[in-house]
Amino acid sequence: MKKKEQNGVTRQTKQAEYIAGIGASAGGLEALQEFFKAVPLKTGIGYVVIQHLSPDYKSLMDELLARHTKLTIKKAVDGMVVEPDTIYLIPPRRNLSVFHGKLLLEDQGSRSGLILPIDIFFRSLANDLNKKAIGIILSGTGSDGTLGTRAIKEAGGMVMAQDEQSAKFDGMPRSTISTGLVDYILPPGRMPEELVNYIKHPFVDQSKQADTILTSDEDSFTKVMMMLRDYCGIDFSYYKENTIIRRLERRLSINRFEKLDDYLRFLSESDKEKDILYRELLIGVTRFFRDETAFKALSDTILPKILSPDKKQVRIWSAACSTGEEVYSLAMLIRNYLDENKIDIEVKIFATDIDRRSLELAGQGIYPESIVSDVEPVLLAKYFIRRENGYQVGETLRKMAIFATHNVLKDPPFSKLDMIICRNLFIYLKPESQSKVLNLFYVALKPGGYMFMGNSETLGTLTEAFQTISSKHKIYSKKPGYQVTDLARHAVAGFSVHKANLDLPRQQGVKTAKYQGVADRILEAMMPPSILLDDQMNVIQFINDVNPFIQLKPGRFSHNLSGLLPNDILALINNMFRQLRTKGGSVVFENIKLKKGDEAFRVNLEGYVVTYDHDLTLYLVSFKKAEQDGQQKEQLKQESSLEEQYQDRLTEIQNELQFTKENLQATVEELETSNEELQASNEELIASNEELQSTNEELQSVNEELYTVNSEYQNKIEELTQLNGDINNLLNNIEVGALYLDRKMCIRKFTSSFARLASILDFDIGRPIFHIAGAHLYPEFLADIEHVQETLQKVEKELLHSNGHLYLVKIAPYRTDYQAVDGILITMVDITRLKAERDKLMQARSRLQSALEMGGMAWWEWNIESGAVDMHEKKATMIGYTLEEFPKDVYEICKLIHPEDYEPTMQAMRDHLEGRKKVYDVVYRIKSKSGDYHYYHDKGGVVERDPYGKPLRLVGLVIDVTQTKEMEKTLQKSKKQPKTNDHSK
């Protein structure tokens, strides 16, 4: 709960518990409208909409969405708290992230490449909300959001994607779905229902603790593990229980199960669910140069040591490599170092994982466009090839990596390794499993070999086995002399140690040299003269005396067999070696003639393949002299002269070959020169291609923005079309003629009514009004238009048309929303009936006025609530006042009533207002301006009441009866006086 001040008043702002980031691009407007149309009002979720917006375009998204939802819509402001049941829109030219529930804005900067606002927000959302982060991908092109989806899943959040059938542009949804990490694939209108069901599930809203699965339902938990092992061949019981429970928790929530037994039955019937759970548990989340500072430390401190120029080969193992991003990240660093220092070393990176699908993706090396946010442009241009929907790793790096399926808990490790990379695997394994794997890694490394681990991982019980190179970045080197604790017992099922001396009791280790000598004696006694070779034909060991069959050549000594054999037998040995490497087994060549010095003899050559310790293959070549009788020896002597001739001919051929080699060398040098020129041209083409790719990416981004703008404009056009139709219908139905002139006084638009009155046709649009004689309604018409144009003052006139009707013609400036004058508007309203009614009214009014004058009467009207009295002027003038002088308030008027008549008058009014009398009828004296009193006969009644019967308005008539009263008084006096004539009599 946050405090917010508004207008000096502090109020509490509730922060959203769940935040849904919604990524949309081209075609996303319709999807957003459909989504929010189905969103309930009270879900407790804050919605943040991330779009690809043009930097110079004012978005109308808030107006367009407001028609489809009653949720509050706000444009994101820096530092704004994300409140529940509120929609936040990203502004143009800004990237949006969230930290502690607050939105933070950041300038996108200059456009040097792809801008990926969805990935940026999703990653920050995953870091801030963890399992309460929700990512939703709607229609759009490209792959923005794919890397962010991986981050949300790694943090334990939930991901939705629009199905490809309902998406206008399926690039973004398809790229996200291809990760295999999406929980729901739905049309936008169905997403809100599943979203609400998900957050209300007991395991998600924490009303029920998922760790009760182990305590209350251990059998079902074990059965799930067994079912997965049978399905995919992987025993996940080596994983930490909490890791498995969190994944089960999500699957139960998504499938709406509350009991593990119910989910177990569903799992047993659905191979699709088994596959999803299997992929959830693998947690295949990675990216290029994950933890950049760690990779920089590796590049600066470790690579110079393992990539020493005096080495011929470097062997590296990347365990649990997932889809290969970290493998290729390392390969780029290695290749860069080798190129910069001009070092020629064969580097082999053995990249392994238990997930075959991830390895297939890694082997192809094709990644979405969004990797541009993780890979520097220089590396992207050098090592990647632009494809239709992303980038592919170049062949140079792919040759360095060997991808293979391998289970570190089950399969034997590689050996003689210079470095092992295993990042973020140990955090998911139980401590005993971690110890087993670390023991195997120790054995697999060369003395002084290096190990690179994840930031959250430790060596556990093997801290004495490794020296710390960087504790911050988890880089270690193998210490010599560490005794692996009972390696056979620590090794899991399926791993066996092949080196016999490791199995010897420690006290017998001193006898190893004696045993080796005994083995050599046995070989000498049992084997013919033989040579043991490696796969490069380098000599490993001589067995018995091979001197009769080899011949040392002058010059530098070589361990390679090609430098030790006579030329006539070397071709045979090479042929034998090729057959052994390709076919295996054994190869025998019999009765081969050899000559050493003056002696000639025949031998049998035998070759065998010797496999040692699984990953080491050796070759054995044996020499056996063939038995010869006297005749065969004589034949060999006769063949000696022929042999000399053959030798001469061979020398001649060798000279010709040398000449050919020299010519070939010259040709090669010329080709190298040409190749360098072609290489330079190729580099220029690559640079041009990179520029074109960058331009294409910018154009694609601009195209998305244009589509979004076009969608919004399309909605506005539909509104304007509808509004224009409404106005036309209104004008036509009320018979108002209207003519619109532009700034140049040319006809822009007119209604059908005006066309009939002024004889204007459709083709007159665009013509100046001054050129159309029929449009001149009256002689001063054009002069009035010019007057309005110059003075901006409207002109109104009544016009008697030739059709006999009277029209009110009004000429006024045409003003825009910003009060700018943009032409002239002329309207004609038929007032014939109005004029007739007005004449009748004036006549009736004149008659009424005459009657009031003649009868000494006046009308009045009293608004009871306000106390105001409206009246005919005669009411004032009858007693000497003007209308302006006479009071308008009822209470002020009452003050003029004679004191003796005041109370009777008020009582008469009360009797009427309270319903005791039907009419108000009273005669009272009222003070005139001169000070004397006149008699008024006042009569009226209530004409309006409220719904409860309370009087609101009275209307009445007042008559000056002063003369009548005077006459009555005179008459009464005359009646009271005695008759004079009678007295006289």
Side-chain angles (χ1 to χ4, degrees):
M1 195 79 74
K2 304 290 182 183
K3 289 185 178 180
K4 181 183 285 187
E5 289 191 6
Q6 187 172 9
N7 299 327
V9 179
T10 302
R11 66 181 180 89
Q12 295 292 326
T13 301
K14 185 178 181 182
Q15 185 172 304
E17 185 177 4
Y18 297 88
I19 298 178
I22 305 174
S25 183
L29 175 59
E30 294 85 348
L32 286 167
Q33 291 174 340
E34 187 180 346
F35 176 86
F36 284 113
K37 190 185 296 183
V39 171
L41 288 180
K42 298 292 183 181
T43 62
I45 302 172
Y47 306 91
V48 183
V49 178
I50 309 296
Q51 284 185 286
H52 295 166
L53 298 175
S54 169
D56 304 317
Y57 173 66
K58 180 183 178 182
S59 177
L60 305 172
M61 181 61 70
D62 51 344
E63 299 177 23
L64 298 173
L65 285 183
R67 301 191 194 120
H68 300 274
T69 180
K70 292 184 180 179
L71 296 176
T72 304
I73 302 175
K74 298 179 180 179
K75 291 187 177 179
V77 177
D78 200 30
M80 179 179 282
V81 175
V82 180
E83 299 179 28
D85 305 307
T86 305
I87 302 170
Y88 298 88
L89 305 177
I90 186 173
R93 299 187 300 275
R94 309 299 287 274
N95 287 329
L96 193 61
S97 57
V98 61
F99 182 70
H100 291 173
K102 290 184 178 180
L103 297 176
L104 303 178
L105 293 174
E106 181 184 24
D107 289 333
Q108 289 179 343
S110 60
R111 273 198 153 172
S112 56
L114 278 180
I115 297 174
L116 305 169
I118 303 174
D119 276 331
I120 291 170
F121 182 76
F122 277 17
R123 283 178 173 175
S124 71
L125 185 64
N127 291 333
D128 199 50
L129 269 75
N130 298 316
K131 66 182 293 184
K132 293 187 177 180
I134 300 168
I136 300 174
I137 295 294
L138 300 179
S139 173
T141 61
S143 59
D144 192 10
T146 302
L147 299 181
T149 293
R150 291 179 178 272
I152 289 176
K153 290 299 292 184
E154 184 181 14
M158 189 268 282
V159 176
M160 288 181 162
Q162 183 174 0
D163 63 324
E164 297 179 28
Q165 291 75 24
S166 66
K168 278 195 172 182
F169 293 85
D170 62 1
M172 279 170 39
R174 187 175 66 249
S175 178
T176 300
I177 293 169
S178 68
T179 63
L181 301 173
V182 177
D183 297 305
Y184 297 93
I185 303 172
L186 299 167
R190 290 179 53 197
M191 288 180 176
E193 179 184 358
E194 297 297 338
L195 183 58
V196 173
N197 289 333
Y198 171 77
I199 66 171
K200 288 185 177 180
H201 193 279
F203 287 155
V204 178
D205 69 6
Q206 301 300 314
S207 62
K208 183 176 180 181
Q209 293 296 322
D211 55 10
T212 57
I213 290 176
L214 280 178
T215 56
S216 63
D217 220 350
E218 189 172 353
D219 290 341
S220 296
F221 181 81
T222 304
K223 289 177 182 177
V224 170
M225 294 298 96
M226 183 183 70
M227 199 175 293
L228 276 181
R229 187 193 63 189
D230 294 341
Y231 174 75
C232 61
I234 299 173
D235 187 358
F236 285 102
S237 61
Y238 291 106
Y239 277 43
K240 293 176 180 176
E241 284 87 354
N242 286 341
T243 299
I244 300 172
I245 288 172
R246 284 198 300 271
R247 268 55 188 183
L248 281 174
E249 187 180 277
R250 180 168 29 249
R251 295 314 305 165
L252 264 69
S253 304
I254 289 171
N255 291 290
R256 303 187 194 177
F257 293 112
E258 292 191 18
K259 294 183 179 179
L260 190 56
D261 279 341
D262 297 334
Y263 178 72
L264 180 62
R265 282 191 292 272
F266 171 68
L267 186 66
S268 65
E269 297 169 358
S270 174
D271 285 346
K272 180 181 178 181
E273 182 62 23
K274 291 189 189 82
D275 189 67
I276 293 174
L277 182 58
Y278 158 68
R279 294 183 69 78
E280 286 264 350
L281 290 172
L282 288 180
I283 322 163
V285 179
T286 183
R287 67 174 187 264
F288 285 95
F289 299 103
R290 188 181 189 183
D291 302 325
E292 290 183 21
T293 55
F295 271 95
K296 188 176 188 310
L298 186 75
S299 175
D300 294 343
T301 60
I302 305 304
L303 292 189
K305 296 177 181 178
I306 64 173
L307 299 175
S308 175
D310 57 351
K311 290 185 178 180
K312 290 186 177 180
Q313 187 184 65
V314 172
R315 291 162 59 88
I316 299 171
W317 180 17
S318 175
C321 69
S322 188
T323 47
E325 285 90 336
E326 286 190 349
V327 176
Y328 291 125
S329 299
L330 179 64
M332 283 186 269
L333 295 179
I334 291 174
R335 190 72 264 164
N336 262 3
Y337 183 84
L338 294 177
D339 292 345
E340 289 172 2
N341 295 278
K342 297 180 181 179
I343 299 173
D344 185 15
I345 300 177
E346 182 186 12
V347 178
K348 291 294 182 186
I349 304 176
F350 304 99
T352 65
D353 200 277
I354 56 176
D355 184 12
R356 293 181 181 275
R357 277 174 289 191
S358 295
L359 290 173
E360 288 175 6
L361 293 173
Q364 294 169 1
I366 298 176
Y367 298 98
E369 292 175 327
S370 49
I371 65 169
V372 299
S373 62
D374 295 326
V375 182
E376 293 180 2
V378 175
L379 298 177
L380 196 69
K382 184 175 182 181
Y383 295 115
F384 288 83
I385 302 168
R386 189 73 169 85
R387 298 299 184 197
E388 182 179 358
N389 293 318
Y391 292 90
Q392 183 175 22
V393 178
E395 190 176 353
T396 305
L397 298 187
R398 295 213 310 276
K399 283 182 177 179
M400 294 172 64
I402 301 169
F403 293 95
T405 306
H406 184 277
N407 187 341
V408 293
L409 292 168
K410 182 178 179 182
D411 299 326
F414 295 89
S415 60
K416 300 179 181 178
L417 298 169
D418 295 276
M419 182 166 64
I420 294 176
I421 298 178
C422 185
R423 310 189 74 227
N424 301 315
L425 169 66
F426 292 106
I427 58 176
Y428 302 114
L429 298 179
K430 292 179 180 178
E432 55 270 25
S433 301
Q434 295 180 24
S435 179
K436 292 176 185 178
V437 175
L438 285 169
N439 272 280
L440 297 179
F441 283 179
Y442 182 84
V443 173
L445 285 170
K446 287 181 178 178
Y450 296 94
M451 185 164 65
F452 185 24
M453 301 175 70
N455 287 345
S456 302
E457 296 170 329
T458 63
L459 293 173
T461 59
L462 269 75
T463 53
E464 297 297 323
F466 294 91
Q467 179 182 350
T468 301
I469 305 298
S470 172
S471 58
K472 179 181 179 182
H473 302 302
K474 307 297 181 181
I475 302 174
Y476 306 95
S477 66
K478 178 179 178 179
K479 282 184 182 179
Y482 179 79
Q483 296 298 320
V484 177
T485 308
D486 198 355
L487 185 59
R489 180 168 60 81
H490 274 77
V492 294
F495 175 73
S496 57
V497 182
H498 296 279
K499 296 187 187 246
N501 60 341
L502 287 175
D503 293 329
L504 288 174
R506 190 171 180 181
Q507 60 270 26
Q508 294 181 7
V510 294
K511 300 180 181 179
T512 303
K514 292 183 179 179
Y515 292 151
Q516 187 64 47
V518 172
D520 290 342
R521 296 281 181 88
I522 294 172
L523 287 174
E524 291 175 2
M526 302 297 294
M527 293 286 293
S530 304
I531 305 174
L532 187 64
L533 307 170
D534 64 11
D535 59 354
Q536 301 296 321
M537 288 186 68
N538 293 316
V539 177
I540 302 296
Q541 184 174 351
F542 293 114
I543 302 172
N544 281 322
D545 185 13
V546 294
N547 285 324
F549 311 104
I550 66 175
Q551 178 180 346
L552 295 178
K553 296 181 179 179
R556 187 176 178 181
F557 177 76
S558 173
H559 287 282
N560 196 273
L561 190 61
S562 60
L564 302 176
L565 291 177
N567 292 334
D568 50 0
I569 199 173
L570 181 59
L572 290 173
I573 296 295
N574 283 334
N575 185 18
M576 174 185 289
F577 197 75
R578 279 194 298 272
Q579 292 187 43
L580 290 174
R581 292 184 67 173
T582 56
K583 299 178 181 178
S586 61
V587 178
V588 178
F589 294 152
E590 294 183 343
N591 212 26
I592 305 302
K593 184 177 72 174
L594 289 181
K595 182 179 180 184
K596 189 170 184 181
D598 295 334
E599 182 182 1
F601 54 89
R602 294 184 181 274
V603 297
N604 296 331
L605 295 178
E606 298 178 2
Y608 304 93
V609 178
V610 180
T611 302
Y612 177 72
D613 201 17
H614 292 287
D615 60 345
L616 182 62
T617 301
L618 302 177
Y619 302 90
L620 185 70
V621 178
S622 299
F623 302 86
K624 293 183 180 179
K625 281 191 177 182
E627 302 206 0
Q628 307 171 43
D629 54 19
Q631 185 178 355
Q632 289 174 327
K633 291 181 180 179
E634 184 63 27
Q635 186 176 354
L636 285 174
K637 289 181 181 179
Q638 295 175 358
E639 290 174 352
S640 295
S641 59
L642 292 174
E643 186 69 30
E644 292 175 359
Q645 295 180 19
Y646 290 150
Q647 189 63 39
D648 293 341
R649 177 58 180 161
L650 179 61
T651 302
E652 183 181 346
I653 291 173
Q654 286 177 339
N655 291 335
E656 291 179 2
L657 178 60
Q658 182 63 29
F659 178 74
T660 304
K661 282 183 177 181
E662 291 173 356
N663 287 337
L664 180 61
Q665 181 64 30
T667 304
V668 167
E669 290 175 359
E670 292 176 2
L671 288 174
E672 285 177 350
T673 303
S674 301
N675 185 53
E676 289 175 1
E677 294 174 357
L678 290 173
Q679 184 68 26
S681 301
N682 185 49
E683 289 174 359
E684 292 176 3
L685 289 173
I686 290 173
S688 301
N689 185 49
E690 290 169 2
E691 293 175 2
L692 289 173
Q693 286 178 5
S694 177
T695 304
N696 183 54
E697 290 166 0
E698 293 181 7
L699 288 174
Q700 183 176 346
S701 179
V702 170
N703 183 54
E704 292 177 13
E705 294 166 359
L706 287 175
Y707 186 88
T708 302
V709 172
N710 183 57
S711 297
E712 295 187 5
Y713 277 143
Q714 191 66 35
N715 278 272
K716 276 293 181 185
I717 289 170
E718 290 175 3
E719 283 181 34
L720 291 172
T721 302
Q722 185 177 3
L723 183 60
N724 191 47
D726 293 343
I727 292 173
N728 287 335
N729 272 279
L730 176 65
L731 293 175
N732 290 331
N733 287 325
I734 63 175
E735 292 295 326
V736 174
L739 174 67
Y740 299 87
L741 303 179
D742 61 17
R743 292 181 180 179
K744 298 179 180 179
M745 297 299 107
C746 295
I747 296 174
R748 185 165 64 193
K749 188 178 181 181
F750 55 81
T751 64
S752 57
S753 300
F754 197 94
R756 289 194 301 270
L757 297 171
S759 302
I760 298 177
L761 301 176
D762 289 341
F763 58 75
D764 288 327
I765 292 176
R767 295 179 62 191
I769 189 66
F770 305 105
H771 293 180
I772 304 173
H776 303 170
L777 300 174
Y778 55 91
E780 299 82 14
F781 182 62
L782 297 180
D784 287 343
I785 292 176
E786 291 176 346
H787 174 75
V788 173
Q789 189 179 20
E790 292 173 1
T791 65
L792 303 181
Q793 299 297 319
K794 64 183 178 180
V795 173
E796 291 185 2
K797 288 188 176 181
E798 291 185 2
L799 169 68
L800 182 62
H801 198 269
S802 59
N803 61 8
H805 286 248
L806 185 67
Y807 292 91
L808 175 64
V809 179
K810 184 176 179 180
I811 306 173
Y814 179 91
R815 295 185 183 274
T816 65
D817 290 341
Y818 302 100
Q819 298 302 310
V821 177
D822 192 28
I824 299 293
L825 172 62
I826 304 164
T827 58
M828 293 180 65
V829 181
D830 190 342
I831 60 172
T832 305
R833 293 175 59 186
L834 180 63
K835 178 68 173 175
E837 294 298 326
R838 184 174 62 183
D839 290 344
K840 290 179 183 179
L841 180 62
M842 292 298 292
Q843 186 178 13
R845 184 175 181 180
S846 176
R847 290 173 180 172
L848 177 62
Q849 183 68 21
S850 298
L852 292 174
E853 289 285 348
M854 297 300 295
M857 296 181 291
W859 59 266
W860 56 265
E861 180 179 332
W862 175 30
N863 186 318
I864 297 176
E865 289 187 335
S866 65
V869 178
D870 191 14
M871 68 194 73
H872 187 266
E873 62 180 352
K874 194 69 178 174
K875 183 173 181 177
T877 59
M878 286 190 299
I879 54 176
Y881 292 96
T882 65
L883 182 62
E884 291 73 20
E885 293 173 338
F886 197 75
K888 304 298 188 296
D889 184 79
V890 67
Y891 300 106
E892 294 296 324
I893 295 173
C894 289
K895 290 179 181 180
L896 298 176
I897 297 175
H898 194 282
E900 294 178 0
D901 298 337
Y902 181 83
E903 184 56 35
T905 303
M906 295 298 103
Q907 185 61 44
M909 179 61 73
R910 285 193 291 268
D911 289 342
H912 175 62
L913 293 177
E914 294 172 4
R916 289 189 290 272
K917 290 184 179 181
K918 290 185 178 180
V919 294
Y920 162 65
D921 191 352
V922 68
V923 177
Y924 56 85
R925 286 168 287 178
I926 188 166
K927 192 174 184 180
S928 69
K929 185 177 180 181
S930 62
D932 57 347
Y933 285 91
H934 285 234
Y935 282 94
Y936 270 7
H937 183 187
D938 216 347
K939 188 175 182 179
V942 176
V943 295
E944 184 179 355
R945 297 178 183 271
D946 67 8
Y948 303 100
K950 180 181 177 182
L952 297 177
R953 190 162 57 93
L954 270 77
V955 174
L957 188 69
V958 64
I959 306 171
D960 188 350
V961 295
T962 305
Q963 291 182 0
T964 305
K965 283 292 184 179
E966 291 296 333
M967 290 175 63
E968 286 179 357
K969 287 180 181 180
T970 303
L971 183 60
Q972 288 176 0
K973 284 180 181 181
S974 64
K975 286 182 179 181
K976 290 179 181 181
Q977 289 177 0
K979 294 183 180 179
T980 307
N981 296 334
D982 289 341
H983 289 292
S984 64
K985 290 179 180 179

